[in-house]
Amino acid sequence: MGQAMPHGAFRRLVDEHYAQLYRYAYRLCGSAETAADLTQETFAKAHAQFSQLRDPARAKPWLFAILRNTYLQQRRQEKNHREVPLESLEQPAASDIADDPYDVNPQRLQEALNELPEMFRTPLILFYFEELSYRDIAEQMNVPIGTVMSRLARAKSYLRQRLTIRPPSDERRQ
Amino acid sequence: MNCSTIRSLAPFFSRHGELSDEDRATIEAHLAVCPSCQGWFQREQEFDAAVARVIQQVEVPSDLPNAIWRKIATQSRRAARMKVLRVAAVASAVVLLVALGWKIWTSRPVVDPVQWAAWEDQRYVFTYNGSRESAVEFFARSGVKTFVPYDFDYTLLTRLDVVAVEGTPVACLVFQKGPNRAKVYVLPKRRFRVPRGELAAATGSHCTVEFAESSREFVLVIVYFGEPNRQLFMPPGSIG
């Protein structure tokens, strides 16, 4: 803490952003417990570095960036994180397409997110959360906006395939 | 714009503020005349809406704000403790350095004019009344355990001194006869290694150095200025 803590300002920061940060953390890691830890750790770091936040209007991307970096740090320490390369997914056969492709199953959605490499998962989550602009996402990931868009397109394509293929339980019923 | 370009802009089109009014108008104009893109856009929007609806459905734990504040409080206490420890460590290092400096500064030998005068007086008295006994008494008072050789003419004694040779206090006697002078250092063998057998000698540009056995424990280093002849400094009538 480089300076005296503006307690009220930081309290507002927590009140305004904790819920959405938790949702982002949950979708990133797929675990309620880890998401709560990540959110707490994010605010603890933000509290310690609050003097570095020059523009309060940029608090949201700042917090999202801290959370993502914290998540990446923790994940580097894990050895057994499972991700699949996007190329490994085959195109679904026509008969495998679910009757209502837009009836998204929450569990299958999280499974699909967990399988995505982080570089694709983050822009996808942030796109659907509509919390950050594309410029903010690009800055946070330290890549050009065009790269964000191409990753988003590939991630959406993967997600569409994972969510529209009929799950094995459906096949057994028929 | 062609269909491919129009479709690549879909993510921007779906979000307010990401596209200029001009580009938005161009896309809308294209969709109005392109049923294929119109259908594609509609499917994209339906899919995105379905995913967005589910992806944001995450139940937030009700006690999360309290957990956040507890975490911040714990971290703040830890940071404060670390700060105190850092300050204490720096302060300890400074105190230690100051104490060490002070110790070194105050441990320098005290130069006392009264002591100095007494010492000079003592040396003057002993050399003026030159005798072997006076030399023995001088070195005893000076606290130097040494041996005072017998075979010198102590009426020629002009100076007694204690000098440091390689850090060891050593007795030094100076004899003068006319233009010839002999400085005699008495080295304890337990502190210095000396050549065995025939003792070494060397001649410099101004002096000649000679080692001489004196006793079982001491060896003499005699430095001659002038004629390097020990006989000159022996008592009259003695045989070298």
Side-chain angles (χ1 to χ4, degrees):
Chain A
M1 285 175 284
Q3 61 186 39
M5 184 61 212
H7 192 73
F10 194 78
R11 182 167 286 282
R12 277 197 299 280
L13 201 72
V14 174
D15 291 344
E16 284 174 19
H17 299 295
Y18 82 89
Q20 200 58 347
L21 276 172
Y22 174 82
R23 292 189 185 100
Y24 175 45
Y26 181 87
R27 290 306 180 194
L28 262 183
C29 66
S31 151
E33 190 183 349
T34 310
D37 286 346
L38 276 172
T39 312
Q40 291 168 33
E41 189 64 33
T42 298
F43 278 111
K45 285 181 180 174
H47 183 262
Q49 303 164 11
F50 194 55
S51 59
Q52 295 174 12
L53 178 63
R54 306 220 181 280
D55 180 7
R58 304 284 301 159
K60 190 194 286 184
W62 181 62
L63 288 169
F64 272 70
I66 293 175
L67 192 142
R68 175 172 177 260
N69 289 334
T70 307
Y71 167 72
L72 291 176
Q73 274 175 2
Q74 288 185 2
R75 220 191 52 174
R76 270 195 290 273
Q77 293 162 5
E78 298 170 9
K79 301 285 181 200
N80 55 352
H81 188 83
R82 191 178 72 92
E83 282 174 354
V84 295
L86 289 191
E87 294 74 16
S88 71
L89 195 79
E90 294 175 0
Q91 290 291 333
S95 59
D96 290 338
I97 301 293
D99 298 334
D100 183 0
Y102 303 129
D103 183 15
V104 176
N105 179 305
Q107 190 185 337
R108 295 191 73 192
L109 171 66
Q110 189 59 51
E111 285 170 5
L113 288 175
N114 292 349
E115 288 170 3
L116 277 171
E118 188 278 332
M119 64 164 66
F120 293 95
R121 192 183 334 142
T122 289
L124 191 73
I125 296 170
L126 293 177
F127 168 75
Y128 283 118
F129 274 17
E130 296 193 7
E131 289 290 332
L132 303 182
S133 68
Y134 294 124
R135 187 174 64 87
D136 286 338
I137 299 172
E139 276 180 12
Q140 193 174 117
M141 301 189 73
N142 203 22
V143 294
I145 250 185
T147 306
V148 170
M149 302 318 293
S150 68
R151 287 181 186 176
L152 180 59
R154 292 184 66 191
K156 277 179 71 174
S157 169
Y158 177 78
L159 196 64
R160 187 190 299 278
Q161 291 177 32
R162 282 288 273 113
L163 295 179
T164 54
I165 294 172
R166 201 188 307 280
S169 55
D170 290 355
E171 289 171 5
R172 278 197 296 277
R173 275 204 303 270
Q174 289 179 356
Chain B
M1 289 188 196
N2 59 26
C3 292
S4 171
T5 309
I6 291 289
R7 291 179 186 189
S8 71
L9 291 173
F12 293 97
F13 185 73
S14 66
R15 286 175 66 161
H16 182 72
E18 294 279 1
L19 217 53
S20 69
D21 291 344
E22 191 182 348
D23 286 339
R24 185 169 288 276
T26 304
I27 292 173
E28 283 170 348
H30 180 88
L31 293 179
V33 296
C34 179
S36 170
C37 282
Q38 204 175 49
W40 186 91
F41 259 67
Q42 191 179 345
R43 286 192 299 280
E44 279 290 305
Q45 283 178 337
E46 286 172 357
F47 180 75
D48 287 345
V51 174
R53 203 166 43 245
V54 175
I55 209 169
Q56 297 196 36
Q57 282 173 4
V58 177
E59 194 178 337
V60 182
S62 58
D63 67 336
L64 185 57
N66 289 334
I68 289 168
W69 288 111
R70 278 198 299 274
K71 175 87 176 179
I72 289 171
T74 306
Q75 185 194 263
S76 297
R77 279 197 297 273
R78 192 182 302 137
R81 271 202 303 273
M82 288 303 293
K83 196 174 177 182
V84 168
L85 283 176
R86 270 200 301 273
V87 169
V90 170
S92 303
V94 169
V95 167
L96 202 65
L97 280 174
V98 168
L100 193 65
W102 180 253
K103 172 82 177 163
I104 291 170
W105 181 254
T106 54
S107 65
R108 292 170 305 147
V110 177
V111 182
D112 181 354
V114 178
Q115 275 185 354
W116 194 292
W119 183 58
E120 286 291 345
D121 276 351
Q122 185 189 29
R123 188 162 58 181
Y124 175 79
V125 169
F126 287 131
T127 53
Y128 185 75
N129 304 305
S131 67
R132 183 177 177 278
E133 289 69 32
S134 65
V136 169
E137 195 181 341
F138 172 79
F139 290 123
R141 288 194 185 196
S142 301
V144 180
K145 276 185 71 176
T146 190
F147 171 77
V148 180
Y150 288 96
D151 47 354
F152 283 89
D153 182 358
Y154 280 87
T155 59
L156 303 177
L157 185 66
T158 58
R159 189 179 173 86
L160 293 168
D161 226 336
V162 177
V163 296
V165 178
E166 301 290 339
T168 299
V170 163
C172 177
L173 305 96
V174 182
F175 299 91
Q176 185 88 34
K177 186 172 189 180
N180 301 308
R181 186 158 30 121
K183 283 178 85 176
V184 180
Y185 297 90
V186 187
L187 303 186
K189 288 180 183 173
R190 62 188 163 78
R191 301 298 300 267
F192 297 93
R193 280 191 296 167
V194 291
R196 288 180 178 277
E198 195 173 322
L199 292 176
T203 303
S205 58
H206 295 87
C207 65
T208 299
V209 178
E210 176 186 279
F211 284 11
E213 282 288 356
S214 176
S215 71
R216 207 153 50 85
E217 296 176 50
F218 295 89
V219 66
L220 302 183
V221 178
I222 308 170
V223 184
Y224 296 103
F225 298 90
E227 193 179 337
N229 182 359
R230 194 168 165 188
Q231 292 286 339
L232 290 173
F233 304 97
M234 287 185 161
S238 64
I239 301 168

